Amino acid sequence: MKPAALLTLLLTAALFNTSATAAGDVEVGGKLFTKTCGGCHSVGLNARGGFGPQLNGVIGRLAGTTADYQYSDAMKNSGVVWTREKLAAYIENPKKVVSGTRMIFWGISDQQKIENLLAYLETFQTQ
């Protein structure tokens, strides 16, 4: 195989591999949610606020608006809409996105873990 053809093949394979990885793994995200987020947040049919708000339908939701949770003034007044990108930034560094949030969480720096969590949360958009 010619070097140019090999380079094209490798770049194409890398592009498809990156796309598949960026989508996140729902199963891995579910396990990570249970371990990292589940102590405060819930999702699913019987989800409700506890130490943190329930996260059904979180993507697209205005921050601080679920009825069954007492949000901090910072969260209620943030004006944040939880887009996928904004939620990813929040998972990485909550206090950078909403200064004054009461959420006691240092964040996750691993982008693949964040993608896995988001893939899992996306399965609860219609709950």
Side-chain angles (χ1 to χ4, degrees), residues 30-102:
K31 290 176 184 175
L32 184 59
F33 181 90
T34 299
K35 179 180 171 185
T36 306
C37 314
C40 297
H41 297 281
S42 63
V43 291
L45 189 57
N46 297 315
R48 60 180 172 70
F51 286 114
Q54 59 85 10
L55 298 177
N56 289 335
V58 68
I59 298 172
R61 184 165 75 202
L62 180 63
T65 59
T66 60
D68 63 349
Y69 184 75
Q70 287 288 95
Y71 291 93
S72 66
D73 288 339
M75 188 62 73
K76 288 189 288 190
N77 299 319
S78 69
V80 168
V81 174
W82 295 121
T83 63
R84 197 174 199 288
E85 295 74 24
K86 186 63 79 170
L87 194 53
Y90 189 76
I91 293 168
E92 184 175 5
N93 188 343
K95 296 192 185 308
K96 184 176 179 182
V97 175
V98 179
S99 179
T101 182
R102 287 193 313 236

Side-chain angles (χ1 to χ4, degrees), residues 107-126:
I108 297 173
S109 60
D110 184 320
Q111 293 303 305
Q112 187 58 54
K113 286 181 179 180
I114 293 171
E115 286 298 322
N116 294 340
L117 277 172
L118 291 173
Y120 178 70
L121 289 174
E122 286 174 330
T123 68
F124 297 97
Q125 282 302 106
T126 58

